mmCIF file of all heavy atoms in Angstrom:
data_model
loop_
_atom_site.group_PDB
_atom_site.id
_atom_site.type_symbol
_atom_site.label_atom_id
_atom_site.label_comp_id
_atom_site.label_asym_id
_atom_site.label_seq_id
_atom_site.Cartn_x
_atom_site.Cartn_y
_atom_site.Cartn_z
ATOM 1 N N LEU A 26 14.715 159.543 56.513
ATOM 2 C CA LEU A 26 15.956 159.210 55.832
ATOM 3 C C LEU A 26 17.053 160.178 56.230
ATOM 4 O O LEU A 26 16.795 161.348 56.544
ATOM 5 C CB LEU A 26 15.772 159.288 54.303
ATOM 6 C CG LEU A 26 14.809 158.290 53.653
ATOM 7 C CD1 LEU A 26 14.657 158.640 52.182
ATOM 8 C CD2 LEU A 26 15.308 156.870 53.816
ATOM 9 N N SER A 27 18.290 159.706 56.199
ATOM 10 C CA SER A 27 19.437 160.595 56.355
ATOM 11 C C SER A 27 19.572 161.461 55.108
ATOM 12 O O SER A 27 18.941 161.204 54.070
ATOM 13 C CB SER A 27 20.721 159.788 56.549
ATOM 14 O OG SER A 27 21.044 159.094 55.352
ATOM 15 N N ASN A 28 20.408 162.498 55.183
ATOM 16 C CA ASN A 28 20.590 163.388 54.034
ATOM 17 C C ASN A 28 21.102 162.635 52.815
ATOM 18 O O ASN A 28 20.641 162.852 51.686
ATOM 19 C CB ASN A 28 21.555 164.517 54.393
ATOM 20 C CG ASN A 28 20.956 165.497 55.377
ATOM 21 O OD1 ASN A 28 19.738 165.637 55.439
ATOM 22 N ND2 ASN A 28 21.777 166.157 56.159
ATOM 23 N N ILE A 29 22.059 161.728 53.013
ATOM 24 C CA ILE A 29 22.626 160.976 51.894
ATOM 25 C C ILE A 29 21.573 160.048 51.292
ATOM 26 O O ILE A 29 21.405 159.968 50.067
ATOM 27 C CB ILE A 29 23.864 160.184 52.351
ATOM 28 C CG1 ILE A 29 24.999 161.143 52.704
ATOM 29 C CG2 ILE A 29 24.311 159.206 51.273
ATOM 30 C CD1 ILE A 29 26.232 160.465 53.254
ATOM 31 N N ASP A 30 20.831 159.348 52.144
ATOM 32 C CA ASP A 30 19.798 158.446 51.642
ATOM 33 C C ASP A 30 18.667 159.209 50.955
ATOM 34 O O ASP A 30 18.030 158.693 50.027
ATOM 35 C CB ASP A 30 19.242 157.593 52.781
ATOM 36 C CG ASP A 30 20.230 156.526 53.243
ATOM 37 O OD1 ASP A 30 21.125 156.171 52.449
ATOM 38 O OD2 ASP A 30 20.116 156.069 54.391
ATOM 39 N N SER A 31 18.411 160.439 51.402
ATOM 40 C CA SER A 31 17.377 161.253 50.751
ATOM 41 C C SER A 31 17.734 161.519 49.300
ATOM 42 O O SER A 31 16.885 161.397 48.397
ATOM 43 C CB SER A 31 17.212 162.587 51.490
ATOM 44 O OG SER A 31 16.663 162.396 52.770
ATOM 45 N N LEU A 32 18.989 161.870 49.042
ATOM 46 C CA LEU A 32 19.409 162.160 47.675
ATOM 47 C C LEU A 32 19.325 160.908 46.805
ATOM 48 O O LEU A 32 18.879 160.966 45.652
ATOM 49 C CB LEU A 32 20.834 162.719 47.675
ATOM 50 C CG LEU A 32 21.315 163.339 46.361
ATOM 51 C CD1 LEU A 32 20.398 164.471 45.929
ATOM 52 C CD2 LEU A 32 22.744 163.829 46.485
ATOM 53 N N ARG A 33 19.717 159.774 47.357
ATOM 54 C CA ARG A 33 19.616 158.525 46.598
ATOM 55 C C ARG A 33 18.162 158.190 46.273
ATOM 56 O O ARG A 33 17.839 157.729 45.173
ATOM 57 C CB ARG A 33 20.240 157.384 47.408
ATOM 58 C CG ARG A 33 21.751 157.493 47.567
ATOM 59 C CD ARG A 33 22.252 156.444 48.523
ATOM 60 N NE ARG A 33 23.690 156.541 48.739
ATOM 61 C CZ ARG A 33 24.324 156.051 49.795
ATOM 62 N NH1 ARG A 33 23.635 155.434 50.753
ATOM 63 N NH2 ARG A 33 25.638 156.179 49.907
ATOM 64 N N THR A 34 17.278 158.435 47.228
ATOM 65 C CA THR A 34 15.862 158.140 47.021
ATOM 66 C C THR A 34 15.257 159.074 45.982
ATOM 67 O O THR A 34 14.457 158.649 45.139
ATOM 68 C CB THR A 34 15.105 158.246 48.359
ATOM 69 O OG1 THR A 34 15.672 157.315 49.284
ATOM 70 C CG2 THR A 34 13.624 157.948 48.183
ATOM 71 N N LEU A 35 15.632 160.343 46.031
ATOM 72 C CA LEU A 35 15.152 161.287 45.022
ATOM 73 C C LEU A 35 15.595 160.864 43.622
ATOM 74 O O LEU A 35 14.861 161.017 42.656
ATOM 75 C CB LEU A 35 15.679 162.692 45.334
ATOM 76 C CG LEU A 35 15.023 163.403 46.512
ATOM 77 C CD1 LEU A 35 15.868 164.592 46.957
ATOM 78 C CD2 LEU A 35 13.617 163.869 46.157
ATOM 79 N N ALA A 36 16.810 160.321 43.533
ATOM 80 C CA ALA A 36 17.352 159.937 42.228
ATOM 81 C C ALA A 36 16.660 158.711 41.641
ATOM 82 O O ALA A 36 16.745 158.478 40.424
ATOM 83 C CB ALA A 36 18.856 159.684 42.344
ATOM 84 N N THR A 37 15.984 157.924 42.464
ATOM 85 C CA THR A 37 15.297 156.729 41.955
ATOM 86 C C THR A 37 13.804 156.965 41.748
ATOM 87 O O THR A 37 13.113 156.084 41.239
ATOM 88 C CB THR A 37 15.487 155.539 42.915
ATOM 89 O OG1 THR A 37 14.938 155.862 44.202
ATOM 90 C CG2 THR A 37 16.960 155.200 43.066
ATOM 91 N N ALA A 38 13.317 158.135 42.158
ATOM 92 C CA ALA A 38 11.899 158.451 41.955
ATOM 93 C C ALA A 38 11.655 158.887 40.515
ATOM 94 O O ALA A 38 12.557 159.390 39.835
ATOM 95 C CB ALA A 38 11.465 159.547 42.920
ATOM 96 N N HIS A 39 10.422 158.715 40.056
ATOM 97 C CA HIS A 39 10.043 159.197 38.721
ATOM 98 C C HIS A 39 9.363 160.563 38.783
ATOM 99 O O HIS A 39 9.378 161.307 37.799
ATOM 100 C CB HIS A 39 9.129 158.181 38.037
ATOM 101 C CG HIS A 39 9.819 156.883 37.754
ATOM 102 N ND1 HIS A 39 9.613 155.750 38.512
ATOM 103 C CD2 HIS A 39 10.744 156.554 36.822
ATOM 104 C CE1 HIS A 39 10.365 154.765 38.038
ATOM 105 N NE2 HIS A 39 11.064 155.222 37.031
ATOM 106 N N VAL A 40 8.759 160.877 39.913
ATOM 107 C CA VAL A 40 8.193 162.213 40.150
ATOM 108 C C VAL A 40 8.367 162.536 41.626
ATOM 109 O O VAL A 40 8.118 161.677 42.489
ATOM 110 C CB VAL A 40 6.687 162.292 39.792
ATOM 111 C CG1 VAL A 40 6.166 163.716 40.029
ATOM 112 C CG2 VAL A 40 6.433 161.872 38.351
ATOM 113 N N TYR A 41 8.795 163.770 41.904
ATOM 114 C CA TYR A 41 8.855 164.249 43.291
ATOM 115 C C TYR A 41 7.766 165.297 43.470
ATOM 116 O O TYR A 41 7.624 166.211 42.645
ATOM 117 C CB TYR A 41 10.220 164.854 43.604
ATOM 118 C CG TYR A 41 10.272 165.508 44.969
ATOM 119 C CD1 TYR A 41 10.028 164.765 46.116
ATOM 120 C CD2 TYR A 41 10.526 166.876 45.110
ATOM 121 C CE1 TYR A 41 10.054 165.348 47.369
ATOM 122 C CE2 TYR A 41 10.564 167.466 46.360
ATOM 123 C CZ TYR A 41 10.323 166.709 47.485
ATOM 124 O OH TYR A 41 10.341 167.284 48.727
ATOM 125 N N VAL A 42 7.004 165.168 44.562
ATOM 126 C CA VAL A 42 5.880 166.074 44.810
ATOM 127 C C VAL A 42 6.072 166.756 46.162
ATOM 128 O O VAL A 42 6.242 166.083 47.189
ATOM 129 C CB VAL A 42 4.536 165.306 44.805
ATOM 130 C CG1 VAL A 42 3.374 166.278 45.002
ATOM 131 C CG2 VAL A 42 4.373 164.532 43.501
ATOM 132 N N LEU A 43 6.031 168.087 46.156
ATOM 133 C CA LEU A 43 6.132 168.869 47.390
ATOM 134 C C LEU A 43 4.896 169.761 47.494
ATOM 135 O O LEU A 43 4.866 170.857 46.937
ATOM 136 C CB LEU A 43 7.409 169.717 47.394
ATOM 137 C CG LEU A 43 7.699 170.480 48.683
ATOM 138 C CD1 LEU A 43 7.992 169.516 49.831
ATOM 139 C CD2 LEU A 43 8.863 171.443 48.497
ATOM 140 N N PRO A 44 3.846 169.307 48.211
ATOM 141 C CA PRO A 44 2.593 170.077 48.265
ATOM 142 C C PRO A 44 2.587 171.193 49.309
ATOM 143 O O PRO A 44 1.547 171.799 49.539
ATOM 144 C CB PRO A 44 1.545 169.011 48.635
ATOM 145 C CG PRO A 44 2.271 167.709 48.759
ATOM 146 C CD PRO A 44 3.723 168.027 48.902
ATOM 147 N N SER A 45 3.711 171.447 49.964
ATOM 148 C CA SER A 45 3.725 172.383 51.087
ATOM 149 C C SER A 45 3.463 173.812 50.637
ATOM 150 O O SER A 45 3.682 174.176 49.483
ATOM 151 C CB SER A 45 5.063 172.309 51.828
ATOM 152 O OG SER A 45 6.120 172.619 50.955
ATOM 153 N N VAL A 46 3.002 174.628 51.580
ATOM 154 C CA VAL A 46 2.700 176.032 51.307
ATOM 155 C C VAL A 46 3.727 176.917 52.003
ATOM 156 O O VAL A 46 4.295 176.560 53.026
ATOM 157 C CB VAL A 46 1.279 176.409 51.779
ATOM 158 C CG1 VAL A 46 0.244 175.660 50.955
ATOM 159 C CG2 VAL A 46 1.090 176.112 53.262
ATOM 160 N N ASP A 47 3.980 178.079 51.386
ATOM 161 C CA ASP A 47 4.885 179.087 51.960
ATOM 162 C C ASP A 47 6.262 178.505 52.262
ATOM 163 O O ASP A 47 6.875 178.822 53.276
ATOM 164 C CB ASP A 47 4.276 179.700 53.222
ATOM 165 C CG ASP A 47 2.956 180.408 52.940
ATOM 166 O OD1 ASP A 47 2.824 180.975 51.843
ATOM 167 O OD2 ASP A 47 2.061 180.369 53.797
ATOM 168 N N GLU A 48 6.739 177.675 51.372
ATOM 169 C CA GLU A 48 8.073 177.084 51.504
ATOM 170 C C GLU A 48 9.081 178.071 50.924
ATOM 171 O O GLU A 48 9.057 178.352 49.725
ATOM 172 C CB GLU A 48 8.133 175.768 50.729
ATOM 173 C CG GLU A 48 9.330 174.922 51.027
ATOM 174 C CD GLU A 48 9.180 174.160 52.336
ATOM 175 O OE1 GLU A 48 8.141 173.535 52.557
ATOM 176 O OE2 GLU A 48 10.131 174.230 53.128
ATOM 177 N N PRO A 49 9.988 178.650 51.733
ATOM 178 C CA PRO A 49 10.847 179.715 51.222
ATOM 179 C C PRO A 49 11.781 179.260 50.097
ATOM 180 O O PRO A 49 11.822 179.867 49.031
ATOM 181 C CB PRO A 49 11.646 180.158 52.455
ATOM 182 C CG PRO A 49 10.875 179.680 53.631
ATOM 183 C CD PRO A 49 10.175 178.440 53.181
ATOM 184 N N PHE A 50 12.539 178.180 50.333
ATOM 185 C CA PHE A 50 13.564 177.777 49.374
ATOM 186 C C PHE A 50 13.870 176.302 49.612
ATOM 187 O O PHE A 50 14.901 175.943 50.169
ATOM 188 C CB PHE A 50 14.832 178.612 49.581
ATOM 189 C CG PHE A 50 15.557 178.963 48.315
ATOM 190 C CD1 PHE A 50 15.516 180.251 47.809
ATOM 191 C CD2 PHE A 50 16.293 178.012 47.636
ATOM 192 C CE1 PHE A 50 16.199 180.584 46.657
ATOM 193 C CE2 PHE A 50 16.980 178.329 46.481
ATOM 194 C CZ PHE A 50 16.936 179.623 45.981
ATOM 195 N N PRO A 51 12.980 175.399 49.208
ATOM 196 C CA PRO A 51 13.072 173.993 49.598
ATOM 197 C C PRO A 51 14.272 173.278 48.981
ATOM 198 O O PRO A 51 14.377 173.143 47.756
ATOM 199 C CB PRO A 51 11.755 173.396 49.101
ATOM 200 C CG PRO A 51 11.335 174.310 48.000
ATOM 201 C CD PRO A 51 11.809 175.676 48.359
ATOM 202 N N MET A 52 15.159 172.764 49.831
ATOM 203 C CA MET A 52 16.350 172.096 49.347
ATOM 204 C C MET A 52 16.029 170.748 48.711
ATOM 205 O O MET A 52 16.690 170.335 47.754
ATOM 206 C CB MET A 52 17.353 171.918 50.483
ATOM 207 C CG MET A 52 18.012 173.218 50.924
ATOM 208 S SD MET A 52 18.834 174.084 49.560
ATOM 209 C CE MET A 52 20.091 172.895 49.081
ATOM 210 N N THR A 53 15.015 170.034 49.221
ATOM 211 C CA THR A 53 14.680 168.752 48.591
ATOM 212 C C THR A 53 14.231 168.948 47.151
ATOM 213 O O THR A 53 14.503 168.102 46.288
ATOM 214 C CB THR A 53 13.577 168.018 49.374
ATOM 215 O OG1 THR A 53 12.472 168.914 49.594
ATOM 216 C CG2 THR A 53 14.098 167.494 50.691
ATOM 217 N N LEU A 54 13.571 170.063 46.884
ATOM 218 C CA LEU A 54 13.142 170.348 45.515
ATOM 219 C C LEU A 54 14.357 170.588 44.622
ATOM 220 O O LEU A 54 14.438 170.072 43.498
ATOM 221 C CB LEU A 54 12.208 171.555 45.506
ATOM 222 C CG LEU A 54 11.599 171.972 44.165
ATOM 223 C CD1 LEU A 54 10.876 170.815 43.506
ATOM 224 C CD2 LEU A 54 10.650 173.150 44.358
ATOM 225 N N LEU A 55 15.328 171.359 45.103
ATOM 226 C CA LEU A 55 16.547 171.586 44.328
ATOM 227 C C LEU A 55 17.298 170.274 44.105
ATOM 228 O O LEU A 55 17.842 170.030 43.020
ATOM 229 C CB LEU A 55 17.466 172.583 45.042
ATOM 230 C CG LEU A 55 16.959 174.001 45.263
ATOM 231 C CD1 LEU A 55 18.109 174.901 45.704
ATOM 232 C CD2 LEU A 55 16.301 174.557 44.018
ATOM 233 N N GLU A 56 17.339 169.428 45.141
ATOM 234 C CA GLU A 56 18.027 168.148 45.014
ATOM 235 C C GLU A 56 17.342 167.262 43.976
ATOM 236 O O GLU A 56 18.010 166.570 43.195
ATOM 237 C CB GLU A 56 18.089 167.455 46.364
ATOM 238 C CG GLU A 56 19.046 168.123 47.332
ATOM 239 C CD GLU A 56 18.979 167.547 48.734
ATOM 240 O OE1 GLU A 56 17.925 167.009 49.109
ATOM 241 O OE2 GLU A 56 19.985 167.640 49.440
ATOM 242 N N ALA A 57 16.017 167.262 43.978
ATOM 243 C CA ALA A 57 15.284 166.473 42.984
ATOM 244 C C ALA A 57 15.609 166.951 41.573
ATOM 245 O O ALA A 57 15.857 166.142 40.659
ATOM 246 C CB ALA A 57 13.780 166.554 43.245
ATOM 247 N N LEU A 58 15.632 168.266 41.375
ATOM 248 C CA LEU A 58 15.978 168.809 40.062
ATOM 249 C C LEU A 58 17.387 168.399 39.658
ATOM 250 O O LEU A 58 17.642 168.038 38.495
ATOM 251 C CB LEU A 58 15.868 170.334 40.069
ATOM 252 C CG LEU A 58 14.509 170.945 40.401
ATOM 253 C CD1 LEU A 58 14.591 172.465 40.374
ATOM 254 C CD2 LEU A 58 13.427 170.456 39.449
ATOM 255 N N SER A 59 18.311 168.434 40.606
ATOM 256 C CA SER A 59 19.721 168.177 40.285
ATOM 257 C C SER A 59 19.950 166.757 39.787
ATOM 258 O O SER A 59 20.902 166.515 39.046
ATOM 259 C CB SER A 59 20.600 168.457 41.509
ATOM 260 O OG SER A 59 20.495 167.422 42.472
ATOM 261 N N VAL A 60 19.120 165.815 40.219
ATOM 262 C CA VAL A 60 19.270 164.424 39.763
ATOM 263 C C VAL A 60 18.297 164.089 38.638
ATOM 264 O O VAL A 60 18.119 162.923 38.277
ATOM 265 C CB VAL A 60 19.103 163.430 40.937
ATOM 266 C CG1 VAL A 60 20.221 163.604 41.939
ATOM 267 C CG2 VAL A 60 17.741 163.587 41.617
ATOM 268 N N GLY A 61 17.658 165.121 38.084
ATOM 269 C CA GLY A 61 16.813 164.929 36.920
ATOM 270 C C GLY A 61 15.463 164.313 37.202
ATOM 271 O O GLY A 61 14.857 163.711 36.304
ATOM 272 N N THR A 62 14.973 164.467 38.425
ATOM 273 C CA THR A 62 13.644 163.923 38.754
ATOM 274 C C THR A 62 12.585 164.999 38.528
ATOM 275 O O THR A 62 12.607 166.042 39.198
ATOM 276 C CB THR A 62 13.600 163.445 40.208
ATOM 277 O OG1 THR A 62 14.551 162.387 40.384
ATOM 278 C CG2 THR A 62 12.224 162.941 40.579
ATOM 279 N N PRO A 63 11.670 164.803 37.596
ATOM 280 C CA PRO A 63 10.598 165.784 37.377
ATOM 281 C C PRO A 63 9.848 166.050 38.684
ATOM 282 O O PRO A 63 9.568 165.118 39.454
ATOM 283 C CB PRO A 63 9.699 165.096 36.348
ATOM 284 C CG PRO A 63 10.617 164.163 35.623
ATOM 285 C CD PRO A 63 11.569 163.662 36.670
ATOM 286 N N SER A 64 9.519 167.315 38.928
ATOM 287 C CA SER A 64 8.992 167.706 40.236
ATOM 288 C C SER A 64 7.754 168.571 40.108
ATOM 289 O O SER A 64 7.564 169.279 39.121
ATOM 290 C CB SER A 64 10.068 168.455 41.024
ATOM 291 O OG SER A 64 11.206 167.628 41.225
ATOM 292 N N VAL A 65 6.935 168.515 41.177
ATOM 293 C CA VAL A 65 5.707 169.287 41.267
ATOM 294 C C VAL A 65 5.728 170.044 42.583
ATOM 295 O O VAL A 65 6.028 169.466 43.628
ATOM 296 C CB VAL A 65 4.468 168.360 41.222
ATOM 297 C CG1 VAL A 65 3.179 169.182 41.285
ATOM 298 C CG2 VAL A 65 4.491 167.480 39.981
ATOM 299 N N CYS A 66 5.422 171.346 42.549
ATOM 300 C CA CYS A 66 5.363 172.140 43.777
ATOM 301 C C CYS A 66 4.147 173.059 43.719
ATOM 302 O O CYS A 66 3.377 173.031 42.752
ATOM 303 C CB CYS A 66 6.651 172.942 43.973
ATOM 304 S SG CYS A 66 6.919 174.246 42.741
ATOM 305 N N THR A 67 3.991 173.899 44.739
ATOM 306 C CA THR A 67 2.854 174.821 44.794
ATOM 307 C C THR A 67 3.308 176.237 44.455
ATOM 308 O O THR A 67 4.488 176.575 44.549
ATOM 309 C CB THR A 67 2.196 174.832 46.184
ATOM 310 O OG1 THR A 67 3.090 175.447 47.116
ATOM 311 C CG2 THR A 67 1.889 173.411 46.646
ATOM 312 N N ASN A 68 2.331 177.066 44.084
ATOM 313 C CA ASN A 68 2.665 178.431 43.671
ATOM 314 C C ASN A 68 3.047 179.341 44.828
ATOM 315 O O ASN A 68 3.448 180.484 44.608
ATOM 316 C CB ASN A 68 1.524 179.055 42.860
ATOM 317 C CG ASN A 68 0.181 178.929 43.562
ATOM 318 O OD1 ASN A 68 0.102 178.743 44.777
ATOM 319 N ND2 ASN A 68 -0.896 179.012 42.793
#
């Protein structure tokens, strides 16, 4: 997806899941939070 379409897709999801490891500062996770999509990440 393009950056704009990514944000729209995050806004229509009910849960966003990012299982990646050693992710310094994931922007998709911040974007999901900003549109109120409950999110799951790793420690």
Side-chain angles (χ1 to χ4, degrees):
L26 295 174
S27 68
N28 290 334
I29 292 176
D30 288 338
S31 292
L32 192 58
R33 292 172 182 158
T34 301
L35 286 164
T37 60
H39 295 104
V40 181
Y41 173 60
V42 183
L43 186 66
S45 59
V46 294
D47 299 326
E48 193 79 48
F50 217 106
M52 288 304 298
T53 51
L54 183 55
L55 297 192
E56 289 173 334
L58 300 179
S59 76
V60 295
T62 298
S64 300
V65 181
C66 67
T67 69
N68 51 21

